[in-house]
Amino acid sequence: MLVSGAMTSDPVTVPPDHPVKKTLTLLQRHGVTALPVVADDGRLVGVVSEADLIRDAVPHDPRARMLPAGPDQRPPQTVAEVLTPAPVTVRPHDDLATAVDRMGTHRVKSLPVVDEHGRVVGIIARSDVVRMLARPDGAIAAEIRETLRTAGYADWRVTVTDGVVEITGPEPAERSLAESVAHTVGGVVEVRIG
């Protein structure tokens, strides 16, 4: 499956001069943990996450240590002050498995999806992958059957159990086609050709 099949298109983005407080409100309202930061032309300039936004935003309470308050430090005011520049990204036609690997390797919950010009076209989050993997087996089977029917293979039998697809009916020369079709459908974790 490709990133484009699981990503959220047209994600919420913010410009570098966006206020921190308003950005926190956007994160909360949309139920996301990070936002792409884009220039006027839509090019990605960074990512701002919950961690970035709260890092220096909460002042120390002198009651916690029974000490006098320290010097006042101005908390960050704009996204530009806290964003992570040059974030890890993926392209729409990258393999979804590559995106999942990058999220794990870089310990991030989401990745901006950019086109060949570096413009944000989507975002892929772990929650998108979870939603895709949690698809009901019946929906997965129906989508595979419809794709095969359209391709002229309506007589092949498709069953799905816990995301594992079993297709019976293909001749040996058609096995690769059957496997490829099944792997394009969201929620498929394994394909067996019988």
Side-chain angles (χ1 to χ4, degrees):
M1 169 153 241
L2 301 179
V3 168
S4 59
M7 74 180 193
T8 299
S9 299
D10 300 319
V12 177
T13 62
V14 292
D17 62 349
H18 204 259
V20 166
K21 180 76 171 184
K22 288 184 177 181
T23 305
L24 287 164
T25 302
L26 281 174
L27 288 174
Q28 183 184 27
R29 183 182 320 137
H30 294 281
V32 296
T33 59
L35 296 172
V37 181
V38 297
D40 290 339
D41 63 358
R43 283 181 306 105
L44 183 69
V45 296
V47 168
V48 65
S49 70
E50 293 169 323
D52 297 328
L53 292 165
I54 68 170
R55 185 174 301 116
D56 297 320
V58 179
H60 291 280
D61 186 325
R63 298 174 296 176
R65 296 191 182 123
M66 300 306 263
L67 299 172
D72 287 337
Q73 292 186 1
R74 179 183 156 273
Q77 301 299 302
T78 67
V79 167
E81 297 173 63
V82 295
L83 66 78
T84 301
V88 179
T89 63
V90 288
R91 300 270 177 101
H93 297 294
D94 286 348
D95 191 325
L96 184 58
T98 299
V100 170
D101 287 344
R102 286 183 186 164
M103 283 187 256
T105 299
H106 296 281
R107 295 190 170 121
V108 295
K109 295 179 181 180
S110 61
L111 299 172
V113 182
V114 297
D115 66 13
E116 62 277 2
H117 303 292
R119 291 185 302 252
V120 175
V121 296
I123 194 158
I124 183 72
R126 291 187 304 198
S127 60
D128 295 322
V129 178
V130 168
R131 183 173 30 264
M132 186 247 341
L133 290 172
R135 285 183 72 198
D137 290 339
I140 295 167
E143 186 175 341
I144 294 169
R145 282 188 201 105
E146 178 58 22
T147 303
L148 291 172
R149 186 195 64 73
T150 302
Y153 299 99
D155 57 330
W156 292 355
R157 185 169 177 268
V158 177
T159 58
V160 181
T161 306
D162 295 331
V164 178
V165 176
E166 186 164 338
I167 302 175
T168 53
E171 298 296 324
E174 300 166 322
R175 290 174 175 253
S176 178
L177 169 69
E179 189 171 347
S180 295
V181 166
H183 276 296
T184 66
V185 174
V188 172
V189 296
E190 184 183 343
V191 179
R192 298 175 184 159
I193 309 297

